[in-house]
Amino acid sequence: MSWALTPLTEEQREIQKTAREFAQQEIAPYSEQWDRDSHFEPSLVPKLGELGFLGMMIPEKYDGLGLDTLTYLIALEEIARVDASVAVMLSVHNSLPTQMLLKWGSEDQKERFLKPMARGEMLGCFALSEPEAGSDAASLRTQAVRDGDHWVLNGTKAWVTSGTKGDVFLAMARTDSPSDRRGARGISTFIITPDLPGFAVSKKEDKMGLRASPTVQLHFADMRVPSNRLLGTVGCGFIYAMQSLDNGRLGIAAQAIGIAEAALRQAAAYAADRKQFGKLIKEFQAIQFKLADMATRVASARALLHMSATAKDRGEHMTQFSAMAKLLASETAMFVTTQAIQIFGGYGYVKEYPVERLFRDAKVTEIYEGTSEIQRIVIARELYSR
Ligand SMILES: Cc1cc2nc3c(=O)[nH]c(=O)nc-3n(C[C@H](O)[C@H](O)[C@H](O)COP(=O)(O)OP(=O)(O)OC[C@H]3O[C@@H](n4cnc5c(N)ncnc54)[C@H](O)[C@@H]3O)c2cc1C
């Protein structure tokens, strides 16, 4: 029950197998407990680093594996089938901070941050959202003021994935002045490390799902950031963030497809085991139709994602594709996990079977890196922009 748009290359099959085996051996036995305890397992970071999975799309020159986007997404789906919390840590790290450093970082920043991140010695996070700036991220308020060879940052960043364990945070802050607001062009990106004076993790969220992924608020109080921690050009930070989210959304789509595939497999297996009215429930057409719809949606979402990934690797403009892939995959994950619980009946509603966790984990894929409403706005806007 796994299809690809084109036959996988030998390298892709090898990476897929490595990811599958790692997920089965190092994650599957503990996932349920980590979810119950809201536990982020720190030893996963160096282990994934050893496999090269924290630098999948980083060129070998910067200590990465130099893989294409499709291969990265195939591996990510394998991890997400087993644990969506581990998958989001991988997705954020590989799609956002490392790609931003690769694209806009100086050689010194690449040496100091990108290389250790690609080796899995430093974990990367992305800090765009704020308590009052979610979908309207350009309205963010964290202020950076230049002071000699430093910037001084004050403000609060919200919903930062992997935040308690992050080593490098790519954070967006305003560099325009309150008397001369420049909207999205008044935002810059800074490379933040937790050792900076004034940096604090101020709150850990108590979430419905993805409980093994720590999501936090960060507080910056007169945080002095050396000027060589500015990424790229002053005033371009919001553009960098939006361009990076085109990558990020492909990762979230792969995560959503992994969750959906897992729910489909669980439901198909349960239907072949559970008997009612003297028959296996898979004999009932009502159950068959549910499984057929679930399988069809998973295959369509995966096909659109793989098409989008190959378009990206050909260098095509892919804002619309990545929004479509994320929208379809996340709504597929929600549909498939809902149907899976229905197929399990009451047993789907309790923690005895993993479909309950898959359902809770699926929901957030319709929310983060742009809600489904925002994806639809992006897709419709792109229809008229070219
Ligand atoms: C578990 C988790 C992890 C996250 N990780 C990160 C992270 O690592 N880094 C980071 O920067 N952010 C992260 N986020 C933040 C996430 O990207 C935001 O939650 C998301 O962008 C939505 O913002 P909001 O929650 O403020 O909702 P709001 O923007 O307040 O939206 C509320 C509702 O209004 C709708 N809405 C808003 N504007 C419009 C509009 N113009 N038209 C129609 N409907 C609209 C939305 O679709 C939604 O249904 C994370 C969030 C969660 C829950």
Side-chain angles (χ1 to χ4, degrees):
M1 267 195 288
S2 183
W3 304 271
L5 198 57
T6 52
L8 299 187
T9 62
E10 201 174 315
E11 184 186 46
Q12 286 166 342
R13 276 202 306 275
E14 197 52 46
I15 298 275
Q16 184 181 45
K17 184 166 166 270
T18 305
R20 187 172 293 170
E21 286 174 359
F22 183 85
Q24 282 310 325
Q25 288 160 18
E26 302 285 343
I27 304 175
Y30 316 106
S31 278
E32 191 190 328
Q33 196 60 43
W34 292 341
D35 174 69
R36 270 175 212 259
D37 299 346
S38 293
H39 174 71
F40 175 98
E41 178 47 49
S43 68
L44 284 177
V45 177
K47 284 182 187 168
L48 285 161
E50 251 174 61
L51 294 178
F53 280 15
L54 290 168
M56 281 197 248
M57 293 183 291
I58 300 302
E60 289 175 17
K61 179 181 169 195
Y62 298 113
D63 295 346
L65 289 186
L67 299 174
D68 61 15
T69 309
L70 180 57
T71 311
Y72 155 61
L73 296 174
I74 287 168
L76 192 54
E77 183 191 324
E78 290 296 329
I79 303 288
R81 286 183 193 189
V82 171
D83 194 315
S85 292
V86 180
V88 74
M89 176 263 280
L90 275 175
S91 177
V92 168
H93 177 97
N94 278 290
S95 301
L96 298 170
T98 50
Q99 289 299 307
M100 292 173 88
L101 282 161
L102 178 66
K103 211 160 173 189
W104 298 293
S106 65
E107 280 309 312
D108 177 54
Q109 290 167 345
K110 285 177 181 155
E111 196 62 40
R112 188 149 167 217
F113 300 108
L114 180 59
K115 281 185 167 185
M117 288 166 85
R119 293 193 297 263
E121 292 159 15
M122 286 179 143
L123 184 62
C125 302
F126 178 76
L128 173 65
S129 304
E130 296 187 357
E132 305 300 327
S135 300
D136 182 12
S139 68
L140 65 86
R141 295 179 191 170
T142 295
Q143 185 70 51
V145 176
R146 187 85 200 224
D147 180 24
D149 57 0
H150 282 74
W151 290 88
V152 181
L153 269 67
N154 279 288
T156 302
K157 307 306 289 185
W159 308 111
V160 181
T161 294
S162 309
T164 53
K165 304 291 172 190
D167 300 295
V168 181
F169 298 76
L170 276 275
M172 277 37 83
R174 305 214 71 84
T175 40
D176 53 4
S177 70
S179 58
D180 179 22
R181 286 294 184 218
R182 299 189 176 182
R185 297 201 170 272
I187 294 170
S188 304
T189 300
F190 295 89
I191 305 165
I192 305 297
T193 47
D195 59 332
L196 292 173
F199 174 100
V201 173
S202 47
K203 179 187 176 195
K204 185 177 171 213
E205 304 295 345
D206 186 7
K207 305 195 300 298
M208 169 199 290
L210 290 192
R211 293 189 60 81
S213 161
T215 311
V216 306
Q217 263 190 21
L218 301 178
H219 189 62
F220 304 153
D222 289 329
M223 183 173 69
R224 289 182 71 76
V225 181
S227 54
N228 63 4
R229 297 285 191 92
L230 175 81
L231 186 81
T233 308
V234 172
C236 289
F238 190 73
I239 300 163
Y240 299 162
M242 290 302 110
Q243 286 188 14
S244 305
L245 284 171
D246 284 346
N247 292 325
R249 286 168 183 162
L250 297 180
I252 301 306
Q255 181 202 26
I257 292 166
I259 296 169
E261 177 73 36
L264 169 62
R265 287 176 182 221
Q266 299 273 346
Y270 186 78
D273 185 54
R274 174 74 172 170
K275 276 189 177 165
Q276 287 295 284
F277 300 97
K279 281 183 176 178
L280 291 171
I281 63 167
K282 73 168 189 173
E283 307 294 335
F284 300 128
Q285 201 175 49
I287 300 292
Q288 291 169 4
F289 280 13
K290 281 193 208 309
L291 289 168
D293 288 345
M294 291 156 77
T296 305
R297 291 208 198 186
V298 173
S300 325
R302 187 180 289 115
L304 181 58
L305 176 63
H306 289 193
M307 189 190 82
S308 306
T310 46
K312 174 178 173 267
D313 287 335
R314 282 195 304 269
E316 289 178 26
H317 177 78
M318 36 80 73
T319 299
Q320 191 183 39
F321 277 145
S322 74
M324 285 176 172
K326 199 252 182 192
L327 176 66
L328 181 63
S330 58
E331 295 194 346
T332 294
M334 211 50 230
F335 172 81
V336 171
T337 54
T338 305
Q339 296 302 313
I341 291 194
Q342 198 66 20
I343 290 172
F344 272 77
Y347 293 100
Y349 199 64
V350 290
K351 293 186 188 295
E352 198 174 329
Y353 290 95
V355 284
E356 179 266 351
R357 171 161 59 93
L358 294 169
F359 175 82
R360 286 187 285 110
D361 287 350
K363 182 60 203 169
V364 76
T365 66
E366 294 183 319
I367 295 173
Y368 55 23
E369 301 205 15
T371 62
S372 293
E373 290 78 9
I374 296 301
Q375 304 311 324
R376 287 187 166 88
I377 291 171
V378 170
I379 294 162
R381 191 178 58 212
E382 289 284 311
L383 288 177
Y384 297 101
S385 71
R386 44 196 61 240

